[in-house]
Amino acid sequence: MKQVAMDAQERETVAVERTVRGSASYDMASGEIARARAFVRDFLDTARSQRGLTVSARAVEIAQLVVSELATNVCKYAPGPCLLDVETDGILLDISMWDSGPFLPAASPADPTRIGQHGLELVLMVCQSFAVHRETVGKRLHVQIPLHESTGASSIW
């Protein structure tokens, strides 16, 4: 078996060539949650079919769940314009969602009697990472989801 050593620049070039990106904008005042879910599903299907990336069926389901929960929060707390950016290197799916709302989300304390308001808890449970940042206008949430079940990044895999 022949091994090929790559320097840091060559590894970066390969990673950039494998990177797939997509963006969409929505008016969440009209509740376009289903369109956002379809966008991320189609993005991952295209990454598989046109770029040959391996994406588990579970990763597609998780990505749609996460986008659905993030979009639902935009509809409830910051209706209006929303930007959805997705990117993958074939290992992780990065999802970034911007909205114009000024308030940063926070997970509610555990309460088995609470009905509803579990969306952010679900997102935190299934994502490898979660970050939220204030922007000049609004905020941006950023999450990462492993595309393969073997990465073991989340306890629910």
Side-chain angles (χ1 to χ4, degrees), residues 58-127:
R58 181 87 169 138
V60 175
E61 292 170 4
I62 295 292
Q64 290 181 95
L65 170 69
V66 168
V67 166
S68 180
E69 292 299 335
L70 296 179
T72 297
N73 283 345
V74 174
C75 288
K76 288 172 82 171
Y77 304 112
C82 172
L83 303 175
L84 173 60
D85 298 309
V86 290
E87 178 178 315
T88 185
D89 59 0
I91 297 169
L92 293 172
L93 174 64
D94 294 321
I95 300 172
S96 177
M97 189 172 280
W98 171 87
D99 68 63
S100 60
F103 301 108
L104 303 182
S108 300
D111 179 358
T113 63
R114 183 178 70 237
I115 297 173
Q117 297 184 336
H118 296 283
L120 188 54
E121 292 174 67
L122 290 171
V123 169
L124 294 172
M125 196 181 331
V126 299
C127 292

Side-chain angles (χ1 to χ4, degrees), residues 3-14:
Q3 292 186 343
V4 178
M6 289 192 285
D7 64 20
Q9 184 176 6
E10 290 170 320
R11 283 191 301 271
E12 184 177 323
T13 300
V14 169

